[in-house]
Amino acid sequence: MINRTVLVKFGDTTTPEQLQEVVDRFKALKNHLTGIVDLQAGLNIAEKSKEYQVVLTVRFEDKAALDAYVENAEHQAVAAFIREVGRVDSIGVDFEI
């Protein structure tokens, strides 16, 4: 299995409602993708590292499922929305389980 975790930092103009919309849209991806074992998303509640407001995680059956996710049109639409509402930076890591 492959685990992907992404932390997303947004600008000061991004509203709490937009952050929640990012989380909701990401969670909805589970209905449009195959090869997903688990998908989670939420707002960062940690006092440390709070400059990254959104945390996204997906566990894939294998690398092929990860590759399909990256190219998926629904995923690309969520990524575009994230940029649209003020993404400043993101950190993503993938690792085998």
Side-chain angles (χ1 to χ4, degrees), residues 13-67:
T13 60
T14 306
T15 67
E17 293 79 17
Q18 289 171 319
L19 294 175
Q20 186 60 53
E21 179 78 13
V22 167
V23 168
D24 295 342
R25 287 185 184 207
F26 188 80
K27 286 181 177 180
L29 285 177
K30 191 167 187 175
N31 302 323
H32 301 283
L33 300 168
T34 59
I36 291 179
V37 176
D38 188 42
L39 183 147
Q40 300 291 323
L43 300 176
N44 182 4
I45 61 170
E47 288 301 314
K48 294 182 180 182
S49 302
K50 63 183 175 181
E51 66 270 10
Y52 287 87
Q53 297 97 330
V54 175
V55 181
L56 313 170
T57 64
V58 188
R59 185 170 295 166
F60 299 95
E61 291 175 352
D62 53 27
K63 177 118 172 37
L66 169 62
D67 293 342

